Amino acid sequence: MTWSVPVRPSQTPEEVLDRWAARRREVGARIRSLRLERGLSQESLALEAGFSRNMVIGIEWGRKSVAYERLWDIAGVLGVDVVDLILPPK
């Protein structure tokens, strides 16, 4: 896969946008699953990780991107390694 660096977001190829959206949904689903396993509400995860509840909702549903540095905040609240948020479970 090769593509030139877009100057504007509208110049990003559709297949790249689709791949990024799929990754957001996958990571968000893992965050949601881990949050529920730990009995945490979206509100409590948001407060402890320094996000708004709406941001947590957007992340979990793959509608919002999260800066990779902030993944450590989420992982810390969930008590997992960051890799557990990014890679699919084995």
Side-chain angles (χ1 to χ4, degrees), residues 6-70:
V7 176
R8 292 180 208 92
S10 63
Q11 295 175 323
T12 303
E14 193 69 32
E15 65 271 9
V16 173
L17 294 174
D18 291 343
R19 188 173 62 244
W20 292 346
R23 287 177 182 162
R24 282 193 309 271
R25 286 189 303 272
E26 291 167 4
V27 170
R30 282 194 280 283
I31 291 170
R32 183 174 193 272
S33 176
L34 289 165
R35 176 182 61 77
L36 292 172
E37 283 176 16
R38 282 142 182 80
L40 293 172
S41 67
Q42 290 171 328
E43 183 74 21
S44 62
L45 174 58
L47 288 172
E48 291 184 51
F51 289 96
S52 70
R53 181 175 170 267
N54 284 338
M55 184 65 176
V56 169
I57 291 169
I59 292 167
E60 287 187 352
W61 289 100
R63 295 188 305 256
K64 298 275 188 181
S65 296
V66 60
Y68 81 93
E69 298 94 335
R70 298 303 310 273

